[in-house]
Amino acid sequence: MATKKAMLIDLTLCVGCNACQDACKIENKLPEGEEHELSSTAYTALNEYNGVYVRRMCQHCVDPTCASVCPVGAFTKTPEGPVLYDESKCIGCRYCMQACPFQVPRYQWTSTYPKVMKCKFCAERQAQGLQPACAEACPTGATTYGNRDELVREAYDRIKAEPEKYVNKVYGVEEVGGTSILYLSSVPFEQLGFKTNLQSTALPMLTWNVLSKIPNVVTVGGVMLYGIWWITNRRKEVEEYEKKQQELERRGNGNNH
Amino acid sequence: MQNILSRLSVWKVIAILILASGAVAAYVRVTQGLGASTNMNDSFPWGLWIGFDVLCGVGLAAGGFTVAAIVYIFNIKRFEPIVRPTILTAFMGYLLVIVGLMFDLGRPFQIWHAIIMWNPRSVMFEVAWCVMLYTTVLALEFSPVVLEKFKMKKTMHVIHKVSVPLIIIGVLLSTLHQSSLGSLFLIVPEKLHGLWYSPYLPVFFYVSAIAVGCAMVIFESFLSSRAFKKGLEMNLLTEIGRVSVVMLAIYTTMKIVDLLDRHALSLLFQPTPETYFYWLEISVGVLLPMVLLSIRKIREHQTGLFASATMMIIGFILNRMNVSITGMEGWAGKSYFPSWMELAITASIVTAGFITFYYAAKYLPIYNHEQHEPAKKELHPYVEDLLSVSQQAN
Ligand code: SF4
Ligand code: SF4
């Protein structure tokens, strides 16, 4: 089995230099220029909350909602971690955007043949044994890349070492079943625009619970409907038959007279 | 006479204006993309076209399978005269969905991908298949009308032979489709406002669709009785009104139980816009018509029945818009209102639906199939049955 890769983003180390976004834009050939929101031209962006910089990007969920909702399977979760989008399949229903719990996918609204845009976790670079462009560019070590197990351990170690500095939570360990991007912070996450009301199990189960019942609905429903039809139809036939019998009898009696 | 003529032309002028603005909007949509033509954005990836065209189009078509089931599965043949108009209505509903989707999808000409690129874990995949299959079933269910018109008896026999399985498949597909539109929103528990998000969304969508299907039958009967100056099957419609009371009562009970279950009752009394919209939806679409229709005098009165049905339809539309738009605004932190182009395209599709319905009803044997009665001897018993019932009704 492939080892799961991850990135640990320690917000206490981020100085807001924007090197990650610059590197990302070069790597993904996106138009230059600083942006402070994810967009169809920014796969990552820094938000500032009273001096704390928060880097947003696709979380590369362990069980990604986007991959489960796409009708044509345009998203795939690779065993190593990256969640990849195949534009040639996409029909543009934008269910992925509606469903992503982190509101990550962006759309090329101005295009007449639009794509969904989001971070690729530099899958090609990873395949070559390189680290993602943003992690490489980060001058302070705020973004580090590695194996997920090790980074989770590292994150808890940092909290243990400096409990008065960090809030006691590693964001991304259990959110919607876990993500490949982990965060450490000194400020409660809800004050930094993180969604803290997410459930700890993967969202796709919510719909799968219903979808998996379809075969039952179809077979039980089909048999039931057929049964009802059979009964009501039979009843009608019997009625008609009896009517005819009576008619015949009446005629028979008439002939006798 | 003059009066009627001028009134007719007023409607014509309105229709032409709507269609013309729709054409302009369609041009902008096709040449400049979704951003230029709609108010959708990254926070609001779904707007009017999903909320109204798709969610309501499918829902308002629910009369089709309900009445088909009543007549052919439960064999309650006295409802037969309304089968054809309801199936035609359902057809128009699906037309709204399909044309609406062609505008809404970012890459509409790749819509066929859903046929070969499967993802059974996706509700949208189920929705796509339901749209395709049920539209086919509706076409087959409707085909006897066209075949009868052109006296193609052989094909008609074939259709008749498979009619019961066809109806059963239609009912099953509709059940899946109506509920799956609710399931679409199961995946956004943290985004959709607590008044609407519920694990029972698929069931709510299904039950409310049956109720509004009944309302659509009543609504459509009234409009066509005026358009074609024909009588109303008041006794049938009154009965349908009664069925919808039962459906509304089931719906209300389930809604209350669900709110209790989720300890969300307090949400009903918080002074937020969501609460107001919720109450508007529930009172106009559910509570009022339920009370009105359970009063016999109102149910048996033309205006009372028509008004209640209209309220149910408005409430239903409100519900679908609330789930897809109002209920999402809080989470998105932004509000959404459709652009004039979104409205123009939707209005144009609806107008086109009305026009199609009018001409179909005028030239095809929808209401008065005895006029097209072929020679008696060659008739299949099914057709005979159809004819005799419709004659009785007239
Ligand atoms: S964050 Fe959103 S887009 Fe990224 S993998 Fe998770 S569900 Fe998909
Ligand atoms: S917009 Fe494209 S990628 Fe997103 S769910 Fe729809 S088809 Fe899939």
Side-chain angles (χ1 to χ4, degrees):
Chain A
M1 225 186 98
T3 31
K4 291 202 169 66
K5 299 296 183 185
M7 288 204 294
L8 175 60
I9 300 178
D10 188 334
L11 300 180
T12 62
L13 300 177
C14 178
V15 292
C17 69
N18 216 46
C20 47
Q21 189 181 59
D22 297 339
C24 174
K25 288 201 165 198
I26 293 169
E27 171 66 26
N28 292 296
K29 301 185 183 65
L30 296 169
E32 277 174 47
E34 204 170 312
E35 292 184 63
H36 297 284
E37 277 296 331
L38 293 186
S39 77
S40 59
T41 52
Y43 291 163
T44 184
L46 292 178
N47 295 156
E48 200 216 298
Y49 296 84
N50 299 321
V52 180
Y53 295 93
V54 180
R55 178 148 96 84
R56 310 261 177 231
M57 58 180 289
C58 169
Q59 302 296 296
H60 297 279
C61 307
V62 171
D63 187 353
T65 313
C66 56
S68 95
V69 298
C70 176
V72 290
F75 285 101
T76 35
K77 171 80 183 170
T78 57
E80 297 79 17
V83 176
L84 299 177
Y85 164 72
D86 178 356
E87 76 157 297
S88 69
K89 287 185 172 177
C90 175
I91 60 174
C93 67
R94 308 185 297 283
Y95 194 17
C96 49
M97 307 176 65
Q98 182 81 324
C100 167
F102 302 103
Q103 219 195 348
V104 165
R106 299 292 138 127
Y107 210 49
Q108 292 180 322
W109 293 100
T110 48
S111 164
T112 50
Y113 195 61
K115 276 192 275 188
V116 173
M117 304 294 277
K118 79 165 195 66
C119 158
K120 306 175 166 71
F121 204 178
C122 288
E124 291 112 353
R125 288 178 57 101
Q126 287 201 49
Q128 293 164 21
L130 298 168
Q131 50 175 333
C134 54
E136 193 180 76
C138 182
T140 64
T143 299
T144 46
Y145 166 77
N147 292 340
R148 188 169 189 268
D149 308 346
E150 284 161 26
L151 285 180
V152 171
R153 222 172 308 133
E154 160 82 22
Y156 283 116
D157 285 348
R158 284 192 205 174
I159 294 178
K160 215 186 276 162
E162 292 177 90
E164 60 299 321
K165 176 175 166 191
Y166 292 105
V167 291
N168 190 16
K169 177 172 177 65
V170 182
Y171 191 90
V173 170
E174 37 175 47
E175 273 66 26
V176 293
T179 67
S180 309
I181 310 298
L182 309 161
Y183 289 90
L184 278 175
S185 169
S186 56
V187 179
F189 283 101
E190 55 271 23
Q191 291 171 25
L192 300 174
F194 282 85
K195 311 287 173 196
T196 46
N197 61 345
L198 298 176
Q199 56 182 55
S200 58
T201 49
L203 294 174
M205 275 318 283
L206 291 171
T207 39
W208 181 244
N209 283 340
V210 175
L211 284 167
S212 56
K213 294 206 179 76
I214 292 177
N216 286 344
V217 171
V218 171
T219 39
V220 174
V223 169
M224 221 173 67
L225 289 171
Y226 187 79
I228 295 173
W229 171 79
W230 190 79
I231 293 169
T232 54
N233 196 49
R234 182 86 194 126
R235 207 184 282 153
K236 227 181 93 207
E237 274 174 10
V238 170
E239 260 171 35
E240 269 162 25
Y241 178 77
E242 277 173 355
K243 232 193 249 158
K244 262 195 198 131
Q245 281 303 86
Q246 279 171 1
E247 181 93 341
L248 278 179
E249 251 169 51
R250 217 161 27 95
R251 276 197 209 150
N253 288 343
N255 282 348
N256 279 349
H257 278 285
Chain B
M1 193 62 208
Q2 194 114 58
N3 197 4
I4 291 173
L5 265 182
S6 64
R7 234 173 48 211
L8 259 182
S9 47
V10 166
W11 283 111
K12 260 187 203 149
V13 170
I14 293 177
I16 288 168
L17 283 179
I18 291 177
L19 291 176
S21 62
V24 175
Y27 178 78
V28 177
R29 159 69 188 91
V30 173
T31 54
Q32 291 172 46
L34 286 163
S37 50
T38 73
N39 279 350
M40 289 188 275
N41 52 50
D42 286 325
S43 310
F44 257 98
W46 285 358
L48 179 76
W49 291 338
I50 294 285
F52 183 80
D53 301 26
V54 175
L55 297 188
C56 297
V58 172
L60 298 175
F65 84 92
T66 320
V67 172
I70 291 177
V71 173
Y72 297 108
I73 307 287
F74 292 91
N75 263 308
I76 307 176
K77 293 283 188 231
R78 62 179 187 283
F79 285 97
E80 195 136 26
I82 55 173
V83 167
R84 287 181 169 188
T86 13
I87 290 184
L88 184 59
T89 312
F91 222 179
M92 294 304 112
Y94 273 73
L95 182 96
L96 177 64
V97 175
I98 291 171
V99 180
L101 267 182
M102 293 311 279
F103 283 104
D104 184 73
L105 290 180
R107 296 181 164 191
F109 297 111
Q110 301 196 350
I111 193 170
W112 55 272
H113 280 185
I115 301 173
I116 53 161
M117 300 170 185
W118 287 31
N119 179 14
R121 274 202 348 159
S122 162
V123 181
M124 193 59 91
F125 174 76
E126 185 196 352
V127 170
W129 274 91
C130 286
V131 174
M132 290 189 279
L133 293 178
Y134 190 58
T135 310
T136 315
V137 169
L138 274 175
L140 288 174
E141 283 180 3
F142 191 67
S143 65
V145 179
V146 182
L147 298 175
E148 191 182 309
K149 167 89 180 174
F150 296 105
K151 305 203 166 62
M152 296 160 81
K153 278 167 224 130
K154 266 209 196 109
T155 332
M156 222 166 144
H157 280 191
V158 178
I159 297 278
H160 169 59
K161 281 238 173 67
V162 296
S163 71
V164 169
L166 196 63
I167 303 278
I168 292 181
I169 293 171
V171 173
L172 290 174
L173 282 173
S174 296
T175 306
L176 294 181
H177 196 187
Q178 300 293 351
S179 56
S180 66
L181 292 180
S183 312
L184 277 180
F185 295 90
L186 285 178
I187 201 99
V188 289
E190 74 292 337
K191 294 188 187 179
L192 182 55
H193 191 277
L195 281 171
W196 292 284
Y197 185 87
S198 151
Y200 297 108
L201 267 172
V203 186
F204 289 154
F205 267 53
Y206 183 56
V207 176
S208 58
I210 296 180
V212 87
C214 297
M216 277 300 281
V217 171
I218 298 170
F219 186 76
E220 174 273 313
S221 299
F222 272 81
L223 288 194
S224 39
S225 86
R226 290 197 59 182
F228 301 107
K229 309 211 170 44
K230 64 176 195 63
L232 268 175
E233 291 100 0
M234 262 317 272
N235 52 336
L236 290 186
L237 296 184
T238 304
E239 258 183 274
I240 300 237
R242 247 175 57 198
V243 176
S244 60
V245 172
V246 176
M247 294 318 293
L248 288 178
I250 296 175
Y251 185 71
T252 316
T253 318
M254 289 192 324
K255 277 279 202 189
I256 295 172
V257 172
D258 170 60
L259 283 175
L260 283 172
D261 256 15
R262 293 186 293 116
H263 309 287
L265 223 46
S266 61
L267 289 177
L268 286 176
F269 308 104
Q270 279 165 7
T272 63
E274 283 90 353
T275 315
Y276 304 140
F277 273 100
Y278 185 83
W279 275 109
L280 189 67
E281 160 203 330
I282 291 289
S283 49
V284 172
V286 183
L287 299 178
L288 254 173
M290 184 165 69
V291 171
L292 289 177
L293 286 176
S294 56
I295 301 168
R296 195 166 160 181
K297 260 212 184 123
I298 296 181
R299 197 169 59 229
E300 290 177 352
H301 192 275
Q302 287 200 9
T303 322
L305 192 59
F306 183 67
S308 315
T310 312
M311 278 196 264
M312 281 172 69
I313 294 169
I314 294 173
F316 175 87
I317 293 172
L318 267 172
N319 170 260
R320 296 314 195 243
M321 304 290 259
N322 280 344
V323 170
S324 60
I325 296 167
T326 321
M328 300 292 244
E329 287 188 332
W331 190 88
K334 296 208 170 91
S335 60
Y336 159 89
F337 193 81
S339 70
W340 74 263
M341 287 182 259
E342 286 174 270
L343 289 165
I345 286 178
T346 297
S348 297
I349 308 173
V350 174
T351 310
F354 271 107
I355 297 173
T356 318
F357 189 101
Y358 178 77
Y359 283 106
K362 202 167 169 190
Y363 294 111
L364 291 174
I366 305 275
Y367 292 109
N368 39 359
H369 17 147
E370 83 280 0
Q371 278 180 7
H372 304 270
E373 192 174 352
K376 253 239 141 82
K377 257 194 193 148
E378 294 160 49
L379 273 184
H380 193 277
Y382 164 70
V383 185
E384 240 173 66
D385 201 29
L386 267 176
L387 291 174
S388 67
V389 174
S390 69
Q391 266 159 1
Q392 275 163 31
N394 283 308

